Amino acid sequence: MKQKIFAVCDLEETYAFRMAEYIVDRISMPYVLHLFTKTEELQPFLERQEISVLMIGESAIRQLKIKPTAPNIFILQENAEESGQVDELLAETERGTNYKYINKYQNPEQIICEMLEQITELKVWSEKKQEQELKIKVVGIYSPVRRCLQTTFALTMGQLIAREHKVLYLNFECFSGFSNMLHREFPADMMDMVYYFNCAKEKISTRLPSIVQNINGLDFIPPGEANLDMQGITGEKWIELIETIGKISDYEYLILDLTDGMNGLFELLSRCYKIYTITKDDSFAMAKMNQYEKILQLNKLNDIADKTVKCRFPFFEKIPSDMNLMTHGELAGYVKAIIKEDLYEKQTG
């Protein structure tokens, strides 16, 4: 089957290379990309090759002796006042040519979004491709027992897995204390992520990298400073968000640090392929666990119970207080054993 061609041409060499690089990084597409920075190289290529998509600068299209006839032509507009002159040039183009103006000097994210809106085939193919390649494993960490080292366990597990895999950690606590613990402010957090997802889902792939932070190799989206606002977000919306993250990113694991104060807890637990529940031997902890398990049974949530691994920690003399040191100490050794025996081996078994 003959491969379709996507050509980029701009006389500004640096701009052309950056745009081509951005397209390759951001778009899944069934086209072969060709880059040109001189019209004397593009002209003979147009004469002997059939191009499906052409992105070309205004200055470059003016220099072409024969105007292109690709099904999709995007002109990178350099000067809005001169657009009429470009129209005159394109009036000579063969019937059937489809060309659109895009402001050249704007965020490349916006350029790509405008282009995708015009090319239905590319947009649909990209979405299908992402859906086919969705391989992210969602791991849930949840316990009805309070002060059980749940977040410490989740961060330790995430940092250890991140040594070999791409991992994203999400914390759903109302008052996580992350800013104080890490001694830094975050420019954006989980609530910003939800806002972008609701308002401009098609741009989420470019927003995500700017929101994500890192702790000792583990990527995370900062918890919201006012996570009480997240209580109105439905489980269905959470599922849609995490599945979208799986589609548009290269993360292999998504670790959810869940709390019973959130909406959609059981929906998220059902979406996990493995759940870790920390418990204790005291009477209060056992009473809470019994009630939790009865709720699962009454609501016919046997799938959650079947995927759950109960963890009872021994007494640890010292727990790292620094989030960057979670991979050291007794707890880390305990988590390493879980990762090896439960996560990795059972996947290949």
Side-chain angles (χ1 to χ4, degrees):
M1 181 177 177
K2 187 177 180 181
Q3 288 185 304
K4 297 180 180 181
I5 296 174
F6 187 127
V8 175
C9 179
D10 196 272
L11 303 184
E12 295 182 47
E13 187 172 305
T14 301
Y15 181 94
F17 276 100
R18 286 180 178 174
M19 179 56 67
E21 184 180 24
Y22 192 89
I23 291 171
V24 171
D25 288 343
R26 298 297 183 183
I27 307 177
S28 294
M29 61 182 185
Y31 304 147
V32 177
L33 186 68
H34 289 262
L35 175 63
F36 301 90
T37 57
K38 297 178 181 178
T39 52
E40 53 264 37
E41 296 174 351
L42 175 62
Q43 190 75 68
F45 187 85
L46 289 171
E47 294 170 2
R48 67 175 185 268
Q49 296 288 347
E50 204 174 297
I51 295 178
S52 297
V53 182
L54 173 63
M55 180 180 287
I56 184 169
E58 263 189 44
S59 299
I61 200 169
R62 291 174 189 280
Q63 292 184 7
L64 291 176
K65 297 177 182 178
I66 300 176
K67 301 310 170 216
T69 58
N72 295 284
I73 297 178
F74 296 91
I75 301 173
L76 297 171
Q77 192 172 358
E78 298 163 5
N79 190 334
E81 295 179 357
E82 298 179 0
S83 60
Q85 297 179 33
V86 181
D87 285 336
E88 292 178 8
L89 291 170
L90 294 173
E92 304 172 4
T93 307
E94 293 183 18
R95 184 180 298 177
T97 297
N98 183 16
Y99 63 91
K100 302 97 182 170
Y101 289 128
I102 297 180
N103 179 10
K104 176 178 176 179
Y105 300 111
Q106 62 177 324
N107 192 310
E109 168 196 341
Q110 185 60 36
I111 293 176
I112 297 304
C113 285
E114 290 183 30
M115 183 188 70
L116 288 177
E117 287 302 318
Q118 300 292 331
I119 309 178
T120 304
E121 178 197 24
L122 179 56
K123 187 175 182 180
V124 172
W125 189 91
S126 183
E127 289 174 351
K128 287 182 178 179
K129 180 73 173 176
Q130 290 169 347
E131 185 175 353
Q132 291 171 358
E133 294 180 348
L134 179 59
K135 297 179 181 179
I136 195 167
K137 297 178 177 65
V138 183
V139 179
I141 316 290
Y142 169 73
S143 175
V145 180
R146 299 298 89 205
R147 297 188 63 82
C148 63
L149 299 179
Q150 176 176 308
T151 295
T152 303
F153 173 81
L155 288 170
T156 301
M157 175 176 283
Q159 291 181 26
L160 288 170
I161 298 176
R163 289 177 173 178
E164 300 179 14
H165 301 274
K166 187 81 171 173
V167 186
L168 179 65
Y169 167 84
L170 303 182
N171 183 292
F172 293 85
E173 291 180 284
C174 289
F175 307 103
S176 67
F178 267 46
S179 293
N180 290 333
M181 290 288 290
L182 292 171
H183 306 291
R184 53 177 155 143
E185 296 296 324
F186 304 115
D189 58 31
M190 183 81 83
M191 285 307 300
D192 294 295
M193 185 71 178
V194 172
Y195 173 79
Y196 294 138
F197 183 71
N198 287 333
C199 297
K201 188 184 301 183
E202 73 279 359
K203 298 180 182 180
I204 202 71
S205 61
T206 55
R207 296 289 188 184
L208 182 62
S210 65
I211 297 176
V212 168
Q213 301 289 319
N214 191 276
I215 309 173
N216 192 28
L218 171 66
D219 281 355
F220 71 97
I221 295 177
E225 287 296 312
N227 263 14
L228 291 172
D229 297 337
M230 297 203 305
Q231 292 179 354
I233 302 171
T234 65
E236 182 180 356
K237 180 62 69 174
W238 284 127
I239 295 294
E240 189 180 357
L241 174 59
I242 66 173
E243 289 185 347
T244 299
I245 290 174
K247 291 175 184 178
I248 56 95
S249 70
D250 59 351
Y251 288 112
E252 299 169 80
Y253 287 88
L254 180 60
I255 295 181
L256 308 180
D257 191 352
L258 302 166
T259 175
D260 46 25
M262 63 178 296
N263 195 359
L265 172 63
F266 291 142
E267 288 94 330
L268 283 170
L269 288 173
S270 294
R271 178 61 178 79
C272 298
Y273 95 102
K274 185 67 64 178
I275 302 163
Y276 292 94
T277 296
I278 304 168
T279 186
K280 298 179 180 179
D281 291 326
D282 65 84
S283 58
F284 286 104
M286 289 189 286
K288 289 175 182 289
M289 280 302 303
N290 287 336
Q291 184 176 350
Y292 168 63
E293 290 172 344
K294 283 182 181 178
I295 291 175
L296 293 181
Q297 188 175 7
L298 288 172
N299 289 279
K300 298 181 180 179
L301 297 171
N302 297 326
D303 63 315
I304 293 177
D306 293 341
K307 294 184 288 188
T308 296
V309 176
K310 291 183 182 179
C311 302
R312 283 185 176 84
F313 294 150
F315 174 74
F316 298 120
E317 291 187 5
K318 188 176 182 180
I319 301 294
S321 58
D322 187 334
M323 286 187 176
N324 291 285
L325 300 176
M326 295 294 185
T327 55
H328 303 278
E330 296 175 282
L331 178 60
Y334 185 90
V335 178
K336 285 177 184 177
I338 291 178
I339 292 174
K340 180 179 179 181
E341 297 177 11
D342 195 49
L343 281 180
Y344 293 165
E345 291 187 2
K346 289 190 177 182
Q347 287 175 35
T348 57

